[in-house]
Amino acid sequence: MEFTLVYKKEIIKNVFDFVIDAPEIAEKAKPGQFIHVLCGGRSYLRRPISICDVMDKKLVRFIFEVRGEGTKSLSNLNKGDKIDVLGPLGNGFSKDIAEDGEILLIGGGIGVFPLLNLAKEFNKTTTAILGFRTESAITITSDFVKTTKNLFITTEDGSVGCKGFVTDVLNRMVSEKKIGAIFTCGPKPMMKAVAEIANANNIPCEVSMEERMGCGVGACVTCTCNVNGKKARVCKDGPVFNAKDVNFDD
Ligand SMILES: Cc1cc2nc3c(=O)[nH]c(=O)nc-3n(C[C@H](O)[C@H](O)[C@H](O)COP(=O)(O)OP(=O)(O)OC[C@H]3O[C@@H](n4cnc5c(N)ncnc54)[C@H](O)[C@@H]3O)c2cc1C
């Protein structure tokens, strides 16, 4: 279906914040789900992008980094242009895994985007731990200030917030208080480390996996990852899985 691009901003170099007027998607979207976007140019396959936010039951916000041909073409669109988008797709986060205790949203790099909608659903009761390489890679932390109870930022070079990784903050928190659930999205090594801490401490944890995707609806079996020893499709069975079930090394 085609929707109109109503807002476009390059928020940091090569990272674009888009809003489309898409009530059909907005009404159904759940945190952690994604849309499949026809990017135009020479890119014939759709590209998956997480739903970052839904506003006024009709606006859908997504933020993407320019990586290759598809996202480059998408970034060339302008306000008023039409975009062909399928969605919402996939299985999102399950709020009800949360037990008593602190609810943590742990994101890294472009993985912070799907956590914003989840923060809104938890209505300022969560703590977000967001990790970036350096100051110039930091995005949408002001949105998390508005939607969470606490926000910790880590950078690898210490240019902003705590120097180090999200897991440094997580380990400290685990030793200090009861954690009720962890929801995480980001680079695979980060999610693997978060999942190991969660599993070792019996904390319910969901991870949002990212694999190269083809059809987006479960037919082509391109985007598989190892879940419970079997091939699971990120697009149809995920992208969100229980951290206990994922083999990150396969
Ligand atoms: C469920 C899901 C949600 C996503 N949400 C977002 C989001 O919110 N914001 C965002 O910026 N990106 C997101 N992505 C990643 C995004 O889909 C890719 O960056 C995009 O498809 C790249 O397309 P391209 O044509 O620009 O690059 P291509 O020319 O296809 O690839 C450029 C480079 O990126 C690598 N690459 C492409 N896709 C992936 C992938 N899925 N995983 C790892 N490496 C890849 C390629 O190997 C290549 O090196 C998500 C991916 C998935 C699976």
Side-chain angles (χ1 to χ4, degrees), residues 34 43 47-50 63-65 67-72 110 113-114 209-213 234 239:
F34 67 95
S43 172
R47 297 293 188 241
I49 300 179
S50 303
I63 304 178
F64 62 94
E65 181 178 42
R67 280 213 197 147
E69 188 116 19
T71 44
K72 179 73 204 151
I110 61 167
F113 305 136
M209 300 299 286
E210 199 198 297
E211 296 291 342
R212 277 202 76 110
M213 202 174 275
V234 166

Side-chain angles (χ1 to χ4, degrees), residues 171 174 196-203:
N171 275 321
V174 168
E196 280 170 0
I197 296 169
N199 295 343
N201 291 280
N202 275 321
I203 301 167

Side-chain angles (χ1 to χ4, degrees), residues 26-129:
E27 275 160 21
K28 292 187 233 150
K30 298 203 175 69
Q33 287 189 298
F34 67 95
I35 50 176
H36 217 198
V37 183
L38 203 54
C39 296
R42 287 193 302 164
S43 172
Y44 299 111
L45 284 177
R46 292 174 183 273
R47 297 293 188 241
I49 300 179
S50 303
I51 295 170
C52 171
D53 201 358
V54 169
M55 295 154 291
D56 303 329
K57 293 190 180 149
K58 65 176 193 143
L59 302 175
V60 175
R61 180 183 183 196
F62 57 98
I63 304 178
F64 62 94
E65 181 178 42
V66 172
R67 280 213 197 147
E69 188 116 19
T71 44
K72 179 73 204 151
S73 300
L74 192 62
S75 74
N76 290 331
L77 293 179
N78 289 309
K79 208 173 142 182
D81 287 345
K82 297 277 186 199
I83 311 183
D84 190 320
V85 174
L86 288 182
L89 299 176
N91 295 308
F93 294 108
S94 325
K95 262 179 79 182
D96 55 13
I97 64 159
E99 297 174 352
D100 282 347
E102 200 73 28
I103 310 296
L104 303 184
L105 312 180
I106 304 184
I110 61 167
V112 305
F113 305 136
L115 297 176
L116 181 63
N117 209 10
L118 186 61
K120 275 173 81 174
E121 283 232 353
F122 273 110
N123 199 15
K124 290 194 187 171
T125 59
T126 58
T127 292
I129 310 172

